[in-house]
């Protein structure tokens, strides 16, 4: 959960002057730039959201986005207006436990908009199993205040790793196959794991090792709604892959990624593509007195 303290001055400078100052310190390479510089969409206005660790854009509206807090917080996810970061609604996941929720994802499963919340964090490598909660997304355009999803309406996908007990802060869904991909958060020997569809909700699944990754300390991941682009990030860098026709996730990630624009946040642990593929969002936990800002990076 640590972040690179030498970037605090950059963070404060960016919040005061906007992304332009940061761009001068971290200029984009024209040959790799597919997305523009950070646009500040606003400061989180809900005091309940202090440790934002995941993002997923609603499949009901391109202007609504979900987030959640991480370890020890209530079993709630929060709906925001992604044009200004204003809170819209809170959804309580009845029967779910927030041991360490670290990421979330959105997809269309059997024609139904579906949300996934990953209780995948494990800073001390102490948990033998982890849970990914899966449930039908309520129509976000009709939500306000606080409402609940019944425990009986939530699938619990429980899994273990085949090679140890690991922390993870990033996972994503292959929208075509509905396989779940999980990235371990380690300082070396990062691995990509897979939970093949259909995932059991009755017994513990052993995740499959798919690929060794060069990227480390990954804090978030998201596959674009069309399944063709992947973003993962650490605290200072956003990595991007483009999927070729007929290519698997593993084949795509064997290639070296491109680096995309990123405005360093106090503790950035969340990323998500816009549903219309117009760009991507990032969000940070509160740190050092800096409130979480929702940033958007428009496609060029």
């Amino acid at each position: 959960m640590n972040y690179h303290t030498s970037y605090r001055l950059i963070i404060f400078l960016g919040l005061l002057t906007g992304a332009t100052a940061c761009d001068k310190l971290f200029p984009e390479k024209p040959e790799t730039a597919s997305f523009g510089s950070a646009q500040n969409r606003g400061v989180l206005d809900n005091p309940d959201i202090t440790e934002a660790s995941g993002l997923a854009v609603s499949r009901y509206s391109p202007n609504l986005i979900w987030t959640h807090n991480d370890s020890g917080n209530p079993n709630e996810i929060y709906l925001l207006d992604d044009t200004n970061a204003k809170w819209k609604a809170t959804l309580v996941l009845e029967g779910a436990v927030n041991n360490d929720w670290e990421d979330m994802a959105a997809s269309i499963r059997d024609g139904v908009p579906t949300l996934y919340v990953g209780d995948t964090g494990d800073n001390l490598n102490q948990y033998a199993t982890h849970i990914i909660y899966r449930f039908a997304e309520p129509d976000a355009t009709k939500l306000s205040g606080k409402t609940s999803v019944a425990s009986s309406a939530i699938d619990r996908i429980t899994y273990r790793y085949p090679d140890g007990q690991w922390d993870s802060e990033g996972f994503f869904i292959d929208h075509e196959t509905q396989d779940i991909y999980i990235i371990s958060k380690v300082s070396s020997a990062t691995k990509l794991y897979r939970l093949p569809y259909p995932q059991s909700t009755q017994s513990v699944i052993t995740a499959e090792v798919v690929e060794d990754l060069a990227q480390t300390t990954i804090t978030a991941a998201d596959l674009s709604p069309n399944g063709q682009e992947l973003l993962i990030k650490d605290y200072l860098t956003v990595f991007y892959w483009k999927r070729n026709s007929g290519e698997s996730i593993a084949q795509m990630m064997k290639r070296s990624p491109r680096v995309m624009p990123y405005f360093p946040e106090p503790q950035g642990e969340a990323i998500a593509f816009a549903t219309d593929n117009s760009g991507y969002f990032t969000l940070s936990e509160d740190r050092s007195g800096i409130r979480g800002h929702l940033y958007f990076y428009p496609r060029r």
Side-chain angles (χ1 to χ4, degrees), residues 229-257:
E229 299 170 287
L230 176 67
L231 293 171
I232 68 173
K233 72 178 295 296
D234 59 24
Y235 288 113
L236 296 174
T237 310
V238 170
F239 302 99
Y240 168 93
W241 286 264
K242 174 70 174 180
R243 196 174 186 179
N244 295 325
S245 178
E247 196 171 46
S248 69
I249 294 292
Q251 290 169 329
M252 171 181 66
M253 296 189 75
K254 284 181 181 293
R255 298 194 304 274
S256 296

Side-chain angles (χ1 to χ4, degrees), residues 18-19 22-23 26 28 33-41 55 65 82 229 231 233-238 240 259-266 268 270-274 276-284 293-300:
C22 183
D23 294 341
F26 298 95
E28 298 173 20
S34 296
F35 299 87
S37 301
Q39 297 176 355
N40 186 353
R41 289 290 177 91
L55 279 175
I65 193 166
D82 66 31
E229 299 170 287
L231 293 171
K233 72 178 295 296
D234 59 24
Y235 288 113
L236 296 174
T237 310
V238 170
Y240 168 93
V259 174
M260 291 294 120
Y262 180 57
F263 175 67
E265 299 168 290
I271 196 165
F273 275 101
D276 59 3
N277 257 4
S278 59
Y280 59 89
F281 297 90
T282 66
L283 184 62
S284 171
H293 287 61
L294 183 67
Y295 291 103
F296 181 66
Y297 300 78
R299 189 180 297 274
R300 293 190 185 279

Side-chain angles (χ1 to χ4, degrees), residues 108-183:
I108 303 293
R109 175 174 170 263
D110 296 331
V112 178
T114 303
L115 292 176
Y116 300 73
V117 177
D119 194 356
T120 61
D122 190 1
N123 291 327
L124 300 179
N125 296 336
Q126 62 184 318
Y127 299 125
T129 61
H130 299 271
I131 297 176
I132 294 176
Y133 297 101
R134 180 180 65 197
F135 54 97
E137 179 187 0
D139 186 342
T141 63
K142 299 178 180 178
L143 294 178
S144 63
K146 182 176 286 192
T147 188
S148 298
V149 177
S151 179
S152 59
I154 302 173
D155 292 332
R156 289 156 176 81
I157 300 168
T158 306
Y159 72 94
R160 65 166 65 93
Y161 295 103
D163 52 358
Q165 295 176 185
W166 306 112
D167 184 24
S168 172
E169 295 191 10
F171 77 92
F172 60 93
I173 313 301
D174 185 336
H175 308 301
E176 182 177 350
T177 66
Q178 290 296 302
D179 293 348
I180 301 172
Y181 288 86
I182 304 160
I183 303 171

Side-chain angles (χ1 to χ4, degrees), residues 3-34:
Y3 64 97
H4 210 300
T5 56
S6 63
Y7 284 82
R8 288 180 180 174
L9 179 61
I10 296 169
I11 294 164
F12 280 105
L13 180 62
L15 292 174
L16 290 173
T17 65
T20 303
C22 183
D23 294 341
K24 291 178 180 178
L25 291 168
F26 298 95
E28 298 173 20
K29 295 180 180 180
E31 70 273 17
T32 63
S34 296

